[in-house]
Structure formats: C-alpha cells, structure tokens
Amino acid sequence: MVYLIVFLPLLGSIIAGFFGKKLGDKFSLYLTSSLLIISMVLGWYEFFQLSTNYLDKTYPLMTWINVGDFNVVWSLRYDMLSAVMIIVITTVSAMVHVYSIGYMSHDNSKPRFMSYLSLFTFAMLMLVTADNLIQLFFGWEGVGVASYLLIGFWYHKPTAHTAAMKAFVVNRVGDFGFILGIIAIYSIFGSVYFDEIFEDVKGLQNIYIILIGFKINVIELISILLFIGAMGKSAQIGLHTWLPDAMEGPTPVSALIHAATMVTAGVFLVCRMSPLLEYAPFALSVITIVGALTAIFAATIGLTQFDIKRVIAYSTCSQLGYMFFAAGVSAYPASMFHLTTHAFFKALLFLGAGSVIHAMSNEQDMRKMGGIWKKIPITYALMWIGSLALAGIPFFSGYYSKDLILEAAWAASTNSGYIAFWLGALAAFLTAFYSWRVIIMTFHGVSNADKDVLSHVHESPLVMLIPLFVLGFGAILSGWFFYENFVGHHWHDFWGHSIFIADTNKAMKLAHYVPKWVKYLPVLLAVLGIVCAYVFYLLIPSLPKKVSITFKPIHKLFYNKWYFDEIYDYLFVKSFIKIGNIFWKKGDENTIDRYGPNGISKLVKNISSKSIIIQSGYIYHYAFAMLIGLVVLLTWLLMDYGL
C-alpha cells in the first residue's frame, strides 16, 4: 500500500498534465482529487497499522545509482516519522485538491494546476519516505521545482513569476549548504544511508578538521550545513524572504506550501537527523536561537501587514520558529507534534482566507473589508476555530503543542532554552494579537468595501466548505487525539528508532514537570493578546493609528519587514549588477572584444583598406608586380646558393 500512497499523486499529475486538455477540466479535477483522497485513506490506514505493531519497513524499488563503490537503491522507508508526515501531507493535499475544484472553477488552466499540485505532493512524499540522503535530496529539489511552477502559475502577472524566481533562488542558497553537508557526510561516513550514518556517528564524534585556520568538530560542521539547508526550505530568519512573496500563487498553493509540505521539509530533516544532531550540542544551540529569533521576528511583521494572506504567511514563519527551537532543545517529538497540529489549523486559515477572497471578488487588503461576518457565517466560524488553535487557546490543537514546546524550552535549563522560552512567550502574545486583528478587520466593524463588491459577498460553495470542515475538525481534535502518543509519557515507544534523544538531554522528560507559571503564562499572554486586539480594532479603532504615529520608527521597521529585502537588494542584487557591468564594459567590451574578435576584424579591415589601393584593374600593373616578385625570388635563390 505504501507504493500506492506515494505513486498515486504522480499518476494523477501525469494524466492531468499530458492528457488534461483532451480529457476535459472536470475529469482532471475529479481524477487528481480522487487519487489524493485514496492516498490519504491508505496513509491513515497504514499509520494505524504501524501504531499497533511498531514494525519499521523498507520497500525497495530499483537500483538507482551504481558508480564504482557508490551504490544507491531507490527505496521507500516507512517508519513512524515517515508515517506521521504522510498522513499530514496527504490529508492537507487532498483537502486542497477538493477545495481547488471550487476555487479554480473560473481558471482556464485547471488541468495544469491540478497536475502541479499532485506533482508537488509526490515530490514531498518522496522526500519523507527516503532512506538515504540522495533520495531525500531528489524529493527536496522536486518540491522546489513544483513550488516554482505553482507560485508562478499565473505567469502573466509580473509579480507572480518574480516571486517564483525569488523562491527558487533563495532556496538554492540553503540547498548549497545542504549539498555540502551531504558531501561531508559521504566523505566522513562513506555512506549516504541513514541507518549506516546513525550507526557510526557515536564513534566519529571526536573527529576534527582544520578549516580556515580553525579546529572544527566534523559532526558540528555537518549539522550546521544540514541546518542551513533546512533554513531555506523552512524560511528561517535570513532565508525567509521568499515565503511572503509566495502568496502571489493561488490560495490553494499557499495552503499547501505553508501548511504541510514545503515549509515543513526543513523541520522533518532536522528530526530525521536527530541521531546525528544529538552529538552536536553547538549546532543544537544555533538551531534553538535561530528558531526563537524567527518566531518573534515574523510575529512583529505580522502585526503591521494588511494583506490577509501575508499576515497568515508570516504566522507560518513564526510557528516554524517554534518547531525549530523545540528540535534545538532535543524535544523532537514536540516539534513533530506542533508540525502536525499546525498543518490542520494553518491550512484551515489559508483556505478560510481563500473563501473570504472568493467572497470579496479577489480582494486581499483587509482595509477594504469589514462587516461581512453575517454574509459568510460558516467561513467566519471556521476562521475563529483556526485562530483559536493558532493562538493556543485551550482546548484547541495549538494549545497542546505550542505550550509543550515552551515547557520543553524551559525544562532544557540551558541559556539558549531560556532565551527561546521568553521569546516564544512574547511571540504567543503577538500571535494572538495579529490573529484577532485579522478576524476583526476582516469580519467586524464598518465595511470599507466597495458597494458593488459588498453586494456580491456570498458564502463559498459546498465543495470549498467541506475541506474547511475537515480541517476545522482537525484543528479542534488533533491536539487531544495525538497528545499521548506523540509527547505523552510513552512517546519513546511510539516514535521508536525514528527519533533519537541522548540520555543527557532531558527536556522532553522534564517538560511535564515545569512550574505552574510556566504552563499558564503562554495561555494568559494569548488571552491578553486577544483582549488588546479587541480594544485596538473594535473598541477604540483610532488607537492603532495613534500608536503607529507615536512609535513611527518601530512601526516603519515592522511594516517594511525589517528591511531584509532592501538590504539584500543592496548587498547582492545591485552590487552584483555593478560587478557584472564592470566585467561587461571593461572586461568583455574593452578587453576581450577590443583585442579579440572586434580587434581582429578591425585589423583585417584596416589592412584590406590599405591593400585595396594596389588593386588598380590595369593588366600591366599586375604584370609589373609579378615581374618584381619574380626578380625578388630569383635574387633570394641566388643569394641562398652563393651564386
């Protein structure tokens, strides 16, 4: 069945992509959606089967690479880590496929869109079922290519293909680190297979190399390089700039990329490599700090944005920070727990936002919304559920996973853990604030929408609402349902060998025994955030403008996304253009062309212009020239032989 789970999306992609126009839009829509639903059902069935017998399996497919001593077999690894990722990916992807039937009903390229969605899902499934780094990298890059196609789906929009190219290029930066990490692993371990790497890592933990004059632990170096790859895919601070721009794609794409697939690849990689990372304490500290900074950094930007999809996108970036600093304090089960719950409520929020955009005639600016909750009550209620889960309000899914992450960060009893806890707690307050800022600006107050747009506001069709109900169900119950197995007292039995935590790292064990104020603080901050949003945007609507004027420099910093795009544009784009112009003008034109092809052609032209004067057209001139040549030749021969 694992074969079917992985390859059914690929089958749907091929049929819709190559034969979609001939078979028709409806056939492509329903075929790809049906195959994803089957894949989802089989994924859940296999998950429950594995949950009862805990027997990891590997399903070989074929010999993929065989060059000298380097041999890679294409296999499907099915352990609990893979199984959890499969149910998350297939469930969210299936709901996105069904949702797209309604959302993309007016698009002229429905088969192409559904083909890209299914291809994206297949690439992600290949990534999470890999049993070696080469296969994982294949899925890794496959996801990158498919995301490029999906973000730039509306290629006639300049902003869309620019965003697609940006996502592709920024991810290449992280991927370069990932490639170096794979090369380093093969050089040290002599293998790219996870089992062989993890078996040998303990014996190689004291190996050092000299790099740029510094003595560096090899395991630490490899871990940092792999994390750089994860930073790109999971949009951590510094390599996050592509994520908000990815909103240029259709809303179903936003839900798929930001909820369960592309952005979670980095988190999965870190958890998969836990047996390696556990012997790299410095790398774990780096992961913790970067994750914590991302959580608070993205939350500050979400406070000031007005595009409903961009606010939710920065929320994704912030929540990914939580997942990373959970992994950084060796609470990998908590990281995977939040990944799972987040997939449900974040997909719900994105698809709910898509329902709002659909109702508002493609309007995304929250300043042009308001007062519409009575016209789309179902979407409104479901957005409430998603926001409650995101804010971490008891007893919604986000409450269980987010609070446990903060408890684990405190329980780690390290400097990086304490930093992560306090930054994460502050981010929890900001998350609740901007979540209800979205709710109030979108649905409440006096409407600022155009009268014509407002008159056409209507609830989405049933085919778009059904996925929202399914995801809403997950946003309410997934935390409670998965808690005991994922992070309860018997989490080790559940995860088996798919996750490894060293005996010295006790954050997961001690997370359940932290002081009560540590448990209650995130919830209190979340409630306070909701109250503040209510005061700012409903009770005293003039207050946000006054605050933005009073703290203008800070507001400007947040609104302009900490100027990361401007800094990168100055440091890399403009500087490289200047360097390129120098090489072009002084190197290519003034040197290579001047003394190369252009110079030679000019020389030939000058010689020909001079020599043309001897081409008079008179026979006696040519006869005289021949005579002179003959005399010169005879003179040379006579002198040569001494005559």
Side-chain angles (χ1 to χ4, degrees):
M1 286 192 184
V2 176
Y3 295 113
L4 290 174
I5 295 169
V6 174
F7 287 101
L8 281 177
L10 178 63
L11 177 64
S13 176
I14 293 171
I15 295 173
F18 288 98
F19 310 105
K21 285 189 176 181
K22 293 182 179 179
L23 298 172
D25 291 350
K26 283 189 176 181
F27 183 86
S28 300
L29 290 166
Y30 289 105
L31 174 70
T32 52
S33 300
S34 299
L35 291 175
L36 253 298
I37 291 172
I38 295 171
S39 183
M40 176 191 71
V41 172
L42 294 177
W44 278 96
Y45 174 79
E46 287 293 323
F47 170 75
F48 285 118
Q49 287 291 104
L50 187 62
S51 301
T52 56
N53 57 35
Y54 301 107
L55 185 61
D56 299 347
K57 294 180 181 179
T58 300
Y59 301 88
L61 289 169
M62 58 181 282
T63 299
W64 188 18
I65 303 173
N66 191 3
V67 181
D69 296 331
F70 186 67
N71 184 271
V72 178
V73 177
W74 188 6
S75 305
L76 304 180
R77 182 188 184 100
Y78 193 76
D79 57 12
M80 190 53 72
L81 196 61
S82 299
V84 170
M85 290 298 297
I86 284 173
I87 62 170
V88 170
I89 294 164
T90 54
T91 301
V92 174
S93 184
M95 295 304 103
V96 169
H97 275 72
V98 174
Y99 182 90
S100 300
I101 296 174
Y103 191 87
M104 302 297 290
S105 59
H106 300 295
D107 197 272
N108 296 322
S109 302
K110 288 185 276 293
R112 178 167 63 91
F113 181 75
M114 301 305 285
S115 176
Y116 290 169
L117 282 184
S118 295
L119 179 64
F120 191 102
T121 307
F122 166 72
M124 193 66 195
L125 290 172
M126 286 302 305
L127 190 159
V128 301
T129 57
D131 74 332
N132 61 80
L133 285 165
I134 302 299
Q135 186 181 325
L136 192 149
F137 189 73
F138 168 77
W140 193 271
E141 293 303 301
V143 168
V145 171
S147 69
Y148 170 82
L149 297 173
L150 285 168
I151 296 169
F153 178 76
W154 287 325
Y155 55 84
H156 56 275
K157 295 169 58 180
T159 52
H161 65 69
T162 300
M165 185 59 71
K166 185 177 182 179
F168 196 79
V169 171
V170 173
N171 272 278
R172 296 294 74 73
V173 177
D175 293 352
F176 182 66
F178 190 16
I179 292 171
L180 292 178
I182 294 173
I183 294 171
I185 285 175
Y186 186 71
S187 301
I188 300 299
F189 294 90
S191 176
V192 292
Y193 286 91
F194 296 133
D195 290 338
E196 295 177 7
I197 296 168
F198 300 157
E199 187 178 344
D200 297 338
V201 65
K202 190 174 182 180
L204 299 173
Q205 61 179 310
N206 294 319
I207 295 179
Y208 292 83
I209 61 169
I210 304 298
L211 188 66
I212 325 177
F214 294 94
K215 187 179 180 182
I216 301 174
N217 184 278
V218 170
I219 304 300
E220 295 279 11
L221 178 62
I222 291 171
S223 299
I224 293 293
L225 290 171
L226 294 178
F227 177 58
I228 291 172
M231 284 179 65
K233 274 290 185 288
S234 294
Q236 294 300 283
I237 187 169
L239 295 178
H240 69 282
T241 54
W242 68 270
L243 193 67
D245 290 1
M247 296 300 99
E248 291 295 335
T251 299
V253 173
S254 305
L256 196 60
I257 289 177
H258 292 73
T261 51
M262 186 170 176
V263 293
T264 61
V267 179
F268 169 79
L269 175 64
V270 170
C271 293
R272 172 62 80 196
M273 302 304 294
S274 60
L276 181 77
L277 291 169
E278 285 298 283
Y279 295 98
F282 175 75
L284 287 176
S285 297
V286 171
I287 294 171
T288 304
I289 297 299
V290 170
L293 290 175
T294 304
I296 189 67
F297 157 79
T300 59
I301 299 174
L303 295 173
T304 59
Q305 302 303 302
F306 293 103
D307 186 309
I308 187 172
K309 287 172 63 178
R310 284 183 179 266
V311 176
I312 302 173
Y314 279 109
S315 165
T316 298
C317 193
S318 180
Q319 297 305 305
L320 287 165
Y322 280 95
M323 299 175 205
F324 272 107
F325 77 69
V329 297
S330 297
Y332 306 101
S335 179
M336 289 300 302
F337 186 30
H338 195 52
L339 184 154
T340 305
T341 60
H342 174 264
F344 289 103
F345 65 72
K346 187 52 58 71
L348 172 62
L349 285 171
F350 268 114
L351 297 185
S355 184
V356 172
I357 295 167
H358 182 267
M360 295 293 296
S361 304
N362 296 318
E363 181 58 68
Q364 295 183 200
D365 193 332
M366 294 186 297
R367 291 171 294 187
K368 298 178 182 179
M369 299 180 185
I372 61 172
W373 74 271
K374 290 183 179 179
K375 296 191 175 190
I376 48 174
I378 298 175
T379 299
Y380 172 66
L382 290 164
M383 287 288 285
W384 258 85
I385 292 172
S387 298
L388 287 167
L390 174 61
I393 301 299
F395 295 89
F396 293 84
S397 60
Y399 161 74
Y400 295 93
S401 54
K402 187 190 290 186
D403 277 29
L404 184 68
I405 287 175
L406 293 172
E407 290 161 10
W410 180 269
S413 300
T414 60
N415 291 332
S416 58
Y418 290 136
I419 292 171
F421 172 80
W422 288 111
L423 291 179
L426 180 57
F429 167 78
L430 298 179
T431 300
F433 183 88
Y434 66 64
S435 296
W436 259 258
R437 175 176 176 264
V438 170
I439 292 288
I440 295 168
M441 290 187 70
T442 303
F443 297 101
H444 291 278
V446 179
S447 179
N448 296 313
D450 183 85
K451 289 184 179 180
D452 186 56
V453 172
L454 198 60
S455 64
H456 290 90
V457 175
H458 60 281
E459 191 63 86
S460 297
L462 189 62
V463 72
M464 291 173 63
L465 292 177
I466 289 174
L468 292 178
F469 279 114
V470 174
L471 294 168
F473 185 78
I476 296 172
L477 296 178
S478 61
W480 166 81
F481 182 78
F482 291 117
Y483 183 87
E484 188 56 38
N485 282 331
F486 277 43
V487 294
H489 295 287
H490 302 289
W491 63 265
H492 192 274
D493 295 332
F494 176 80
W495 291 105
H497 298 293
S498 64
I499 287 177
F500 171 77
I501 301 177
D503 294 334
T504 53
N505 296 325
K506 301 181 183 295
M508 271 304 299
K509 295 179 181 178
L510 300 177
H512 300 284
Y513 306 103
V514 296
K516 287 187 178 181
W517 71 266
V518 174
K519 291 179 176 290
Y520 297 144
L521 182 64
V523 177
L524 292 174
L525 289 173
V527 173
L528 181 62
I530 295 171
V531 173
C532 288
Y534 175 80
V535 173
F536 270 66
Y537 291 95
L538 201 59
L539 200 62
I540 314 174
S542 61
L543 199 55
K545 189 173 182 180
K546 291 180 181 178
V547 172
S548 65
I549 294 171
T550 305
F551 302 96
K552 189 175 180 179
I554 298 174
H555 178 269
K556 194 175 180 180
L557 178 67
F558 293 170
Y559 182 75
N560 289 288
K561 299 164 286 188
W562 291 68
Y563 295 100
F564 265 92
D565 285 304
E566 288 79 5
I567 293 170
Y568 286 170
D569 187 60
Y570 179 79
L571 290 177
F572 301 113
V573 179
K574 290 181 178 178
S575 61
F576 276 91
I577 289 175
K578 287 181 180 178
I579 295 170
N581 284 332
I582 293 171
F583 279 109
W584 172 34
K585 292 292 184 182
K586 294 186 178 182
D588 189 33
E589 287 189 351
N590 293 342
T591 304
I592 298 173
D593 287 347
R594 183 179 180 184
Y595 298 105
N598 291 346
I600 294 171
S601 67
K602 189 176 181 180
L603 179 64
V604 172
K605 187 177 180 180
N606 289 335
I607 294 172
S608 60
S609 64
K610 301 292 184 193
S611 62
I612 198 172
I613 61 176
I614 67 175
Q615 303 294 326
S616 64
Y618 294 105
I619 295 177
Y620 65 87
H621 285 171
Y622 301 143
F624 183 69
M626 292 173 66
L627 180 63
I628 292 174
L630 184 62
V631 170
V632 170
L633 179 62
L634 290 172
T635 303
W636 178 74
L637 289 171
L638 291 172
M639 291 178 65
D640 191 52
Y641 289 100
L643 298 176

